[in-house]
Amino acid sequence: LCLLYQRSGSLLPGIAVHVINNTLAFGIDEHWGWQIPVLLAGSAAIVTLILLPLVRLGIEAAAAPAPAPA
């Protein structure tokens, strides 16, 4: 995950990989079959819905002009 961060410059790909890993581990631990892909898709959707507004705020903050020194 550190290499992924270094290559992309963003934490978001690492978060996505972590979600996939946790979802697979949980589904396998619970001996789920077809539910694993459903859980994986749901987890990815929830993480996207949570992170998308935060990413937009970060982009807007980065694009905003810096205030003039007083």
Side-chain angles (χ1 to χ4, degrees):
L1 294 178
C2 293
L3 293 174
L4 188 60
Y5 171 72
Q6 185 180 20
R7 298 279 308 226
S8 69
S10 173
L11 289 176
L12 297 180
I15 292 170
V17 170
H18 188 68
V19 166
I20 291 168
N21 178 61
N22 285 353
T23 301
L24 289 173
F26 180 75
I28 291 169
D29 185 50
E30 295 296 318
H31 305 290
W32 290 359
W34 62 269
Q35 297 96 331
I36 293 174
V38 173
L39 182 63
L40 183 60
S43 299
I46 290 170
V47 167
T48 301
L49 290 173
I50 291 170
L51 291 179
L52 191 58
L54 299 175
V55 170
R56 286 186 179 161
L57 285 174
I59 291 171
E60 290 172 3

